[in-house]
Amino acid sequence: MLEVAEVFRRYGEAYLNKYGDAMLPSHRRALHDIRHCRTEVFGGHVYDCDRCGHRQYAYHSCKNRSCPKCQGDDTERWLTQRRQELLAVPYFHVVFTLPEEFRPIVRRHQKTMHGALMKAAAGSLMKLAADPRYVGGRLGILAVLHTWTVTLGYHPHVHCLVPGGGVTQEGTWAAARKDYLVPVEALAVIFRGMFLAMLRKALPQQRFPDSVRTKRWMVYCKPAVQGSEKVLKYLARYVHRVAFANSRLLCIENGQVTFRYQHRKTRTWKPMTLPAMEFMRRFLQHALPRGTHKVRYYGIWHPSQ
């Protein structure tokens, strides 16, 4: 099967020669790790058969969180750890998306603004859910940062998994309505206000269009697929998903990379061909800076709780 690693092996040196001086450390690291994943560069184990003398080499994985090849094992480990934390209640899937006017700003200030995006999403959810008209309790929120579109464009947004209820001040459980958590229109307004406040505090000199103060911000909320095991597997796809899966590659030749993507409106699969340099640029822009947490827990799921 074709792999992103093969693109990096063929064209990585040319990419470094052309853009190396301007690359972020996280991009350099991802390029190096994925290129050499499961090769002698990362060492490995040697297995000898006592009966026939056959020798088998097993090279180590790079374990880079942007590597398409390494995420399957991480998903299984994460599932094992999370099973004991799952609550026997319905769940909701909530998605917060920033307007496109903020994408260049967030991309330039990733360490600061990725965190602000996730805090604003969780904070707005908990503030609205605390209202007795909706939940009347403290939610648990697992937030996962994604930054890509199906064609590897930069599109920062947050997926949240939220139990259908919360803990009241008295310590009792307050259940949400079956198919309704909070009003998304009001949630979008609170999210907008919180994010803009964090942006002004973190980047006081930053300018942005006045239109973002009044336009509707996109927030999506619906009940998640139910059943404890289904909920876990559903969430695991988001927690350990990377910008691009090896299974989407169709062809690597003549300095071009062809891959398939699913059209958002028609839900049909279509091919796209990019120069290898552009494919690598798009892929690497989703390698998060070191120290950036793409998965965060809030409310009753916070480690302090």
Side-chain angles (χ1 to χ4, degrees):
M1 184 177 72
L2 293 174
E3 299 179 347
V4 172
E6 183 61 27
V7 180
F8 286 0
R9 291 184 190 116
R10 293 190 193 184
Y11 309 108
E13 283 298 328
Y15 190 90
L16 286 169
N17 292 336
K18 188 172 183 178
Y19 302 113
D21 293 341
M23 289 177 67
L24 295 174
S26 57
H27 295 185
R28 281 181 165 272
R29 181 63 181 269
L31 176 56
H32 172 273
D33 288 355
I34 297 172
R35 183 181 180 186
H36 298 294
C37 184
R38 302 187 189 184
T39 68
E40 65 276 5
V41 171
F42 286 103
H45 288 78
V46 179
Y47 297 95
D48 288 318
C49 178
D50 293 336
R51 298 181 63 184
C52 69
H54 176 72
R55 175 167 290 185
Q56 178 69 43
Y57 294 91
Y59 293 120
H60 293 160
S61 300
C62 68
K63 300 188 184 301
N64 192 294
R65 58 180 171 176
S66 296
C67 179
K69 199 186 303 184
C70 291
Q71 296 309 304
D73 293 340
D74 289 342
T75 299
E76 289 305 315
R77 283 193 292 269
W78 185 88
L79 280 169
T80 300
Q81 295 168 358
R82 296 287 85 79
R83 281 189 175 95
Q84 60 185 337
E85 300 171 359
L86 196 70
L87 302 176
V89 298
Y91 282 81
F92 290 84
H93 180 198
V94 190
V95 183
F96 295 83
T97 303
L98 284 179
E100 61 181 349
E101 292 90 340
F102 288 109
R103 293 174 193 172
I105 299 172
V106 174
R107 194 175 187 277
R108 286 196 301 269
H109 304 278
Q110 293 182 46
K111 279 195 171 183
T112 302
M113 300 319 299
H114 283 163
L117 169 58
M118 299 180 80
K119 288 179 183 177
S124 58
L125 253 177
M126 289 199 292
K127 180 176 181 178
L128 196 54
D131 191 321
R133 291 177 295 174
Y134 309 121
V135 178
R138 186 172 175 81
L139 296 177
I141 300 171
L142 196 162
V144 185
L145 173 69
H146 283 185
T147 61
W148 56 83
T149 66
V150 292
T151 56
L152 295 177
Y154 188 74
H155 177 63
H157 56 286
V158 178
H159 293 267
C160 297
L161 188 79
V162 186
V167 177
T168 66
Q169 292 184 348
E170 293 76 27
T172 59
W173 181 257
R177 279 173 270 182
K178 182 178 179 181
D179 296 322
Y180 183 86
L181 185 64
V182 294
V184 291
E185 295 291 340
L187 181 60
V189 172
I190 298 173
F191 170 56
R192 179 180 64 195
M194 285 189 173
F195 181 82
L196 289 176
M198 292 179 187
L199 174 62
R200 286 192 293 267
K201 182 177 180 180
L203 305 172
Q205 305 303 319
Q206 181 65 55
R207 296 286 181 262
F208 50 85
D210 290 336
S211 60
V212 299
R213 304 175 189 273
T214 55
K215 73 183 296 184
R216 183 179 182 274
W217 289 33
M218 296 303 298
V219 176
Y220 161 96
C221 178
K222 75 168 188 176
V225 60
Q226 300 307 317
S228 59
E229 191 64 24
K230 288 183 179 179
V231 169
L232 274 174
K233 291 181 178 180
Y234 173 85
L235 180 60
R237 293 202 304 269
Y238 286 97
V239 170
H240 291 288
R241 180 179 291 176
V242 297
F244 190 88
N246 285 329
S247 59
R248 291 172 57 193
L249 280 173
L250 299 176
C251 182
I252 308 170
E253 63 180 8
N254 301 323
Q256 304 282 317
V257 177
T258 302
F259 62 93
R260 64 190 184 105
Y261 71 96
Q262 191 172 42
H263 191 273
R264 184 173 62 87
K265 292 184 178 180
T266 64
R267 310 304 294 174
T268 57
W269 288 93
K270 297 187 175 183
M272 173 175 282
T273 299
L274 295 173
M277 294 292 195
E278 172 61 13
F279 176 84
M280 289 189 286
R281 185 198 70 80
R282 292 194 188 191
F283 182 95
L284 290 171
Q285 71 179 336
H286 305 295
L288 298 177
R290 186 174 183 179
T292 300
H293 297 285
K294 67 174 287 188
V295 181
R296 301 190 184 194
Y297 298 84
Y298 299 92
I300 62 173
W301 274 347
H302 190 276
S304 65
Q305 303 297 312

